[in-house]
Each structure stands twice: as C-alpha cells, then as structure tokens.
C-alpha cells in the first residue's frame, strides 16, 4: 500500500496532490491512503455551487479567512481549519458500483477503530442539523467525522474529515454558520463534535497517525511524499 504523507501549504497544490492519488493507484494497481491536515478552507459540494446563495456563502468563508473551493466528492460544505484532519483511501476497482456499500462499511469501521484506539468514544450517526449531513458519519457528543465516496474509471476513492479539537468545534461552527445560512441549508452550531470531547487527544498528529495505521493495517507500505504526486 502507498502511504502518502505531508500537507502542502497552498490549497490548490494540496488538492492537486490528493487528485494525483487516484492516478498513482491506477498506474500501480495498489491501494493508497493519505491522512493529513489540509490548509484552511471551506470545501463546497456540487449542490452548494448551484444554490442561489453560493456567492454569498463564498464571501462569508473569505471574510473569515478560509479559501472557498469546490470538491468532487460529498454533499454540503465542510470546513478545514488547518488542524482538521482529512483522509483519503483509494483502491483499484473494476469500475463496478456494486462495492459502494461495502467500501463505506469498511471505511466507517476502520475510522471508528482508529478513533477508539486513541481513546475516543464514537458511534455511527450524526445529530440533527449537522454539517454535510449524510448517512456515513461518526458522532460523539456531536458530529466528529463524515465520509463520502467517488468511483472513477479503475479507482474508487473513499474520504472524509475528522474534527479533532474542542477549539476546532468552535471555529467550524463560526464559519459554517453564516455559510449555511447563505446557502439556505439547516445547520445547528452545537451539532459539531470532536475527537477531544469524545475522550480522545487534542493532537491532530496523533489522529493522523492512528487513521493511517488503521487503513494500512498489516500491509507492506510504500511511503510517498504528497509533493511527488504533483509531478
């Protein structure tokens, strides 16, 4: 398995490195995982981009110091503060969509094992009014993680975000409140949880390491720096 490490300070370069993950998997026919802390941004989904209030939502993100970007995977807007953890697990596939649920279940179970391994108490589901509401989430005292999936050509990509610290809860609520209001999407600021308030560490690095180890499991790993995926 390829294990991609590192975060790039420039938002677009960092996103390009993640896009390069699928190409790496397709070329080598080997799975890959990337777990990292993306630069500060609000990642909007396709439904957001077609909403009447999208321009206002982008301005709300910019006014609070977040780069507004559009992502291919997932539903509604997600905020990364610079300490929020993201993960992507890419695997070879025959382009059949029959394995979607199985991949969701594997990613959810693996992420739960990783977070429980560092002391967090989490369970499937999310409270009402959560950011990026969806069927594949983990919660503690609030929503801790969300998971999405995309299938492209010979590669399936499952990824998500993990709120790590209590400070992150407040920061995410602060930016997504006006963003979701502009989009006309229900959002309860108190629905945001974190690994820390679920009993885990307040250290993004510890969470990154735990998730990486959980997805790599006992496989032989090939370390790859994220910047290499830009070439």
């Amino acid at each position: 398995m390829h294990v991609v490490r590192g975060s790039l300070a420039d938002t677009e370069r960092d996103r390009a490195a993640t896009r390069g993950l699928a190409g790496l998997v397709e070329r080598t026919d080997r799975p890959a995982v990337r777990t990292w802390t993306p630069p500060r941004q609000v990642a909007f989904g396709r439904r957001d981009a077609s909403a009447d209030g999208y321009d206002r939502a982008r301005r709300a993100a910019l006014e609070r110091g977040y780069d507004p970007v559009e992502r291919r995977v997932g539903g509604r807007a997600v905020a990364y503060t610079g300490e929020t953890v993201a993960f992507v697990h890419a695997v070879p596939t025959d382009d059949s969509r029959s394995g979607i649920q199985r991949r969701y279940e594997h990613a959810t179970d693996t992420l739960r094992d990783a977070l429980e391994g560092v002391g967090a108490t989490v369970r499937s589901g999310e409270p009402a009014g959560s950011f990026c509401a969806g069927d594949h989430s983990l919660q503690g005292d609030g929503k801790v993680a969300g998971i999405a999936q995309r299938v492209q050509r010979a590669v399936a990509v499952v990824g998500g975000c993990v709120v790590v610290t209590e400070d992150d809860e407040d920061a995410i609520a602060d930016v997504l409140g006006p963003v979701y209001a502009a989009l006309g999407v229900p959002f309860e600021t108190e629905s945001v949880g974190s690994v820390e308030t679920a009993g885990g560490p307040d250290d993004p690095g510890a969470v990154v390491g735990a998730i990486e180890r959980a997805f790599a499991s006992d496989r032989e790993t090939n370390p790859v720096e994220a910047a290499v995926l830009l070439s």
Side-chain angles (χ1 to χ4, degrees):
M1 169 179 274
H2 303 291
V3 176
V4 180
R5 291 174 175 148
S7 176
L8 304 178
D10 179 81
T11 301
E12 286 307 318
R13 283 171 56 82
D14 191 75
R15 285 163 50 80
T18 298
R19 290 193 295 271
L21 201 69
L24 176 65
V25 171
E26 186 172 359
R27 289 192 305 273
T28 62
D29 198 36
R30 295 170 61 185
V33 63
R34 184 186 186 197
T35 309
W36 78 112
T37 51
R40 193 174 174 95
Q41 63 191 270
V42 171
F44 291 93
R46 290 178 176 176
R47 292 174 65 192
D48 298 326
S50 61
D52 289 341
Y54 182 51
D55 288 341
R56 294 194 304 275
R58 287 176 60 90
R59 287 197 298 272
L62 281 167
E63 288 167 359
R64 287 157 180 82
Y66 291 78
D67 287 336
V69 301
E70 294 178 22
R71 71 184 190 280
R72 300 176 182 176
V73 170
R76 296 296 189 175
V78 174
Y80 295 92
T81 68
E83 292 194 339
T84 313
V85 169
F87 73 91
V88 175
H89 182 224
V91 296
T93 181
D94 60 4
D95 204 26
S96 167
R97 302 185 69 83
S98 61
I100 288 178
Q101 186 59 34
R102 173 179 49 79
R103 287 188 293 269
Y104 267 128
E105 290 172 357
H106 174 262
T108 303
D109 291 346
T110 302
L111 183 59
R112 184 190 300 111
D113 289 346
L115 298 183
E116 289 178 346
V118 293
T121 299
V122 294
R123 64 191 187 279
S124 295
E126 62 186 9
S130 293
F131 66 88
C132 197
D135 295 332
H136 307 285
S137 303
L138 292 175
Q139 63 180 325
D141 291 335
K143 181 167 181 173
V144 174
I147 300 172
Q149 181 173 176
R150 177 168 55 96
V151 181
Q152 58 182 76
R153 294 194 299 184
V155 180
V157 180
V158 183
C161 64
V162 181
V163 183
V164 177
T165 70
E166 190 171 356
D167 286 346
D168 244 11
E169 293 182 33
D170 296 336
I172 289 171
D174 178 69
V175 65
L176 290 186
V179 163
Y180 275 66
L183 294 170
V185 177
F187 172 64
E188 300 293 336
T189 56
E190 64 271 20
S191 69
V192 186
S194 68
V195 173
E196 182 183 5
T197 56
D202 62 352
D203 177 10
V207 174
V208 164
I211 296 172
E212 179 184 291
R213 290 190 297 273
F215 276 96
S217 186
D218 56 356
R219 297 181 180 90
E220 180 180 351
T221 58
N222 171 45
V224 179
E225 288 298 319
V228 172
L229 299 180
L230 297 174
S231 59

